[in-house]
Amino acid sequence: MTWFLDNFAYVWELTVKHLVLSVIPLVVGFVVALPIGWFASRHRRLRGSVLSVGSLIYTIPSLPLFLVLPSIMGTKILDPLNVIVALSLYAAAVMVRSASDAFDSVPAEVLDASKATGFSEARSFFRVQLPLAGPVLLAGLRVVSVSTVSLVSIGALVGVSSLGSLFTDGSRRDFGTEIIIGIIGVVLIALVLDTLLVLAARLLMPWRSVVRSSGRSV
Amino acid sequence: MSVASETVDWLTDSANWSGDEGIPHRLLEHVYYTGLAVGIAALVAVPLGLWIGHTGRFRNVAILVTGSMRALPTLGVLSLVAIYSGIGLTAPLVALIVLAIPPLLAGAYSGIESVDPRTVDAARAMGMTEWQVLLRVEVPLALPLLVGGVRSAVLQVVATATVAAYISLGGLGRYLIDGLAIRDYPQMLGGSVLVIGLALVLDGVFASIQHLALGERSRVEAARRT
């Protein structure tokens, strides 16, 4: 406890870094996956291949991906961009499936009705399909959010600092308190992001209760 | 010379293909740790999951525990276990087992839950005992989801075992961690390629088993229909 109080500024700085490294991939993954998932749900024949590319990406373990990306993108090993790109890929890979399922869950009669009422394709997407797909999209986002927050800490192994740095540092110094503080911090960030997602969903979709699900952590 | 061709050289260098630090030995170690961890975890998680699925008891507890365990950062768990139980195989293995339990448990209970309750009722009405209902009706029908749980547990453990090289576990992760430490990029990249390859191959193997299990399910359903 004294260690935590003495190093509060340091832990806070790492917490902020951790949060930034988690939120960017979440947003990027969501924005990338949304159109791909929509496309996959509209074109049944391509759906299978789009989803298998997603699950293939998701199969790649995180540490090797962090190490391979620099030679593909021409970045330095220590560049936080590697972690951000890797986690965005994972987030998009999972969200594509969620988004495709989400748009599938929009009843065909509703689509027909919106067309018959004279909604343009774009207006139907934003005003009809997206809101109705919302609950399933949210369930996907919550899964991705938890796993992304946990994965950010692996970046500490390749020198990208986050709360994971408390793990590598604590293990080097044989100091359990530091590691425990790090674990608590990571779980708290996951909890806070999850709560924010649920609250945002309540604001944006007051008509629906919230769905739950689960995902990956390495 | 580019890093890519140096990596290919590293992968094809015969010196890297023999001895205790050679690729075959490291690969075997990696598969061995994975098999051991998933095996031991399955001994605990699968019977427990089947029981939860069959009786419906403690279902909420199971969901809560598997859900919150997924939020635990694996690197933190590994580091913590390592400093309290010292260097050796036990510490990382315990961490790998703990991390393999949630997907196995979830696969087992959700598999049993996916079975149509009318099928279970019919089995009981035919005079099957609870054990017969479980082993001859529910488990065969739950097989695809059960194998799905094993599949994600295996992938999880392959990935985590790589990370565990940093707390002195052997396996392919050694190349990544050691290569990174001494800035030996070909070794690091070669190791990464091997881990990714292993993960993709194992995923393919379990995808096929899952497919076979699905075939089993449709055979059972066909037998039920006729």
Side-chain angles (χ1 to χ4, degrees):
Chain A
M1 200 63 207
T2 43
W3 181 88
F4 176 60
L5 295 174
D6 290 346
N7 294 280
F8 184 77
Y10 175 59
V11 174
W12 179 249
E13 186 198 323
L14 292 178
T15 306
V16 171
K17 281 186 182 167
H18 202 106
L19 200 58
V20 171
L21 287 174
S22 314
V23 170
I24 299 176
L26 259 176
V27 174
V28 174
F30 183 72
V31 170
V32 169
L34 209 57
I36 303 178
W38 182 79
F39 182 82
S41 89
R42 280 310 191 71
H43 302 266
R44 307 301 308 178
R45 272 188 305 158
L46 290 172
R47 187 175 189 270
S49 9
V50 171
L51 294 187
S52 8
V53 171
S55 85
L56 215 60
I57 292 174
Y58 198 60
T59 305
I60 300 173
S62 53
L63 183 61
L65 188 59
F66 291 165
L67 296 175
V68 168
L69 276 177
S71 44
I72 296 172
M73 303 194 301
T75 41
K76 292 256 165 13
I77 293 266
L78 293 173
D79 198 331
L81 197 61
N82 303 320
V83 172
I84 292 177
V85 169
L87 297 185
S88 303
L89 279 173
Y90 288 142
V94 177
M95 278 312 292
V96 163
R97 182 174 290 270
S98 292
S100 159
D101 290 346
F103 289 114
D104 277 351
S105 74
V106 179
E109 308 88 76
V110 176
L111 284 180
D112 291 344
S114 77
K115 201 176 281 173
T117 326
F119 275 46
S120 67
E121 189 69 29
R123 192 140 173 261
S124 152
F125 178 81
F126 286 108
R127 303 295 300 275
V128 178
Q129 301 177 35
L130 199 56
L132 287 176
V136 183
L137 287 174
L138 172 71
L141 262 180
R142 293 179 69 186
V143 174
V144 179
S145 150
V146 170
S147 62
T148 307
V149 170
S150 163
L151 280 169
V152 166
S153 46
I154 306 272
L157 284 181
V158 294
V160 176
S161 59
S162 66
L163 285 174
S165 311
L166 298 179
F167 304 150
T168 48
D169 192 53
S171 125
R172 211 167 14 239
R173 300 196 300 153
D174 231 352
F175 185 47
T177 314
E178 190 176 353
I179 300 174
I180 293 172
I181 302 266
I183 294 179
I184 294 173
V186 172
V187 172
L188 281 181
I189 291 182
L191 215 62
V192 167
L193 280 184
D194 193 60
T195 312
L196 287 178
L197 282 173
V198 173
L199 286 178
R202 286 235 178 100
L203 280 176
L204 293 169
M205 306 179 283
W207 64 93
R208 281 297 285 268
S209 60
V210 159
V211 210
R212 251 204 109 98
S213 182
S214 50
R216 139 196 205 120
S217 63
V218 165
Chain B
M1 201 157 61
S2 75
V3 182
S5 63
E6 280 178 59
T7 305
V8 173
D9 287 347
W10 183 87
L11 281 169
T12 50
D13 187 348
S14 61
N16 291 327
W17 283 87
S18 59
D20 276 358
E21 293 184 358
I23 293 168
H25 186 245
R26 291 291 187 214
L27 185 67
L28 270 180
E29 273 180 337
H30 209 104
V31 173
Y32 171 70
Y33 299 147
T34 306
L36 199 62
V38 175
I40 295 174
L43 284 181
V44 181
V46 171
L48 192 63
L50 294 181
W51 182 73
I52 292 170
H54 183 75
T55 61
R57 269 185 237 173
F58 299 109
R59 186 174 170 269
N60 291 328
V61 181
I63 293 175
L64 193 72
V65 170
T66 52
S68 44
M69 270 173 81
R70 283 190 166 115
L72 281 181
T74 49
L75 188 66
V77 175
L78 282 172
S79 311
L80 201 61
V81 173
I83 66 167
Y84 284 119
S85 50
I87 287 176
L89 188 57
T90 332
L93 205 58
V94 167
L96 294 183
I97 292 168
V98 170
L99 296 167
I101 286 178
L104 289 167
L105 195 64
Y109 74 68
S110 59
I112 298 288
E113 272 174 10
S114 74
V115 179
D116 189 339
R118 284 172 302 181
T119 312
V120 180
D121 287 344
R124 281 207 186 98
M126 284 167 65
M128 283 189 174
T129 64
E130 285 306 299
W131 276 110
Q132 284 173 324
V133 170
L134 180 68
L135 296 178
R136 294 172 58 179
V137 178
E138 289 179 318
V139 170
L141 289 172
L143 217 50
L145 283 176
L146 207 60
V147 177
V150 177
R151 182 178 171 187
S152 40
V154 165
L155 289 176
Q156 164 93 10
V157 173
V158 165
T160 312
T162 315
V163 174
Y166 121 98
I167 54 163
S168 79
L169 192 72
L172 293 170
R174 282 258 61 84
Y175 297 130
L176 281 70
I177 300 294
D178 296 344
L180 190 63
I182 56 170
R183 299 273 178 255
D184 179 352
Y185 293 135
Q187 179 187 353
M188 187 191 83
L189 285 174
S192 299
V193 170
L194 291 172
V195 175
I196 294 172
L198 178 65
L200 293 178
V201 167
L202 286 177
D203 190 52
V205 168
F206 279 96
S208 327
I209 298 177
Q210 216 173 354
H211 194 73
L212 283 178
L214 209 61
E216 179 70 26
R217 182 176 188 148
S218 53
R219 272 201 294 282
V220 173
E221 275 169 357
R224 209 180 66 205
R225 271 195 296 271
T226 47

